[in-house]
Amino acid sequence: MKIWSTEHIFSYPWETVIKAAMRKYPNPMNPSVVGVDVLDRNLDKNGRLHSHRLLSTEWGLPGVVKAILGTNRTVTYVKEHSIVDPQEKKMELCSTNITLTNLVSVDERLVYRPHPENPDVTILTQEAIITVKGVSLSSYLEGLMAISMSANARKGWDAIEWIIKNSECEMC
């Protein structure tokens, strides 16, 4: 098991970042996400927006990883649940893979909040637990996946910035 975490500061207010985060896919920075289906979306009695989505992803796994895992499958599915609380100004998003779960599990949690010292910017905290199962070199593969998650996190941040900059009139 490998635990990965990071933080990022967006130079935009929470409301702007959340609007962009809800519209994150598709985007040119993350072409591996090939589909997003909203399975359910509702408001609870406290005014929080709950969304359940299914993400379809196409990952180009290196040949050595395919060989170690014993699979040629590159299309994977991720279930995602998010809660946007406008009163508390917090968005929490949890996701987990639902494909290849016998080989690997990635449980990720993202929390967006206004920065405690500057409410005009937003802080994103990301963490994930990566577990590769039933193969030799599992800790090596978990480390590779953590490196990949860091690169993909940066792409996600860039995507949110891109969405904000390319839809400023819409977002205002």
Side-chain angles (χ1 to χ4, degrees):
M1 175 176 67
K2 178 85 172 169
I3 298 172
W4 170 88
S5 64
T6 190
E7 280 188 353
H8 181 73
I9 305 289
F10 292 99
S11 299
Y12 299 96
W14 180 82
E15 292 84 356
T16 302
V17 173
I18 296 313
K19 287 176 188 176
M22 295 294 288
R23 298 174 44 208
K24 186 173 168 184
Y25 303 111
N27 70 70
M29 289 79 188
N30 300 100
S32 59
V33 178
V34 295
V36 178
D37 294 298
V38 176
L39 305 176
D40 185 44
R41 185 167 280 159
N42 63 71
L43 285 173
D44 67 18
K45 65 183 179 188
N46 298 316
R48 297 178 303 180
L49 178 65
H50 293 257
S51 298
H52 293 269
R53 302 191 312 174
L54 179 67
L55 281 63
S56 306
T57 63
E58 175 70 46
W59 295 102
L61 295 175
V64 68
V65 174
K66 287 181 190 177
I68 292 170
L69 293 178
T71 184
N72 283 324
R73 186 173 198 158
T74 58
V75 176
T76 58
Y77 298 96
V78 174
K79 69 177 178 177
E80 176 188 276
H81 175 241
S82 63
I83 302 172
V84 178
D85 187 334
Q87 297 296 339
E88 195 178 322
K89 289 197 174 185
K90 175 183 173 186
M91 176 180 174
E92 183 171 349
L93 185 148
C94 296
S95 65
T96 189
N97 61 299
I98 57 174
T99 309
L100 301 173
T101 54
N102 60 321
L103 299 172
V104 63
S105 65
V106 179
D107 297 306
E108 188 175 18
R109 180 175 176 259
L110 291 79
V111 178
Y112 298 83
R113 289 181 177 259
H115 194 283
E117 296 167 13
N118 181 357
D120 292 331
V121 301
T122 303
I123 186 166
L124 165 62
T125 305
Q126 287 179 262
E127 56 193 28
I129 299 172
I130 305 161
T131 308
V132 174
K133 309 168 195 171
V135 296
S136 57
L137 303 172
S138 61
S139 62
Y140 171 74
L141 291 174
E142 289 165 354
L144 285 178
M145 291 181 71
I147 291 167
S148 175
M149 288 200 69
S150 293
N152 286 329
R154 279 189 283 285
K155 290 178 188 176
W157 307 334
D158 290 345
I160 289 174
E161 297 272 352
W162 180 83
I163 291 165
I164 291 168
K165 289 176 181 155
N166 285 288
S167 56
E168 283 189 286
C169 294
E170 237 178 276
M171 305 284 281
C172 301

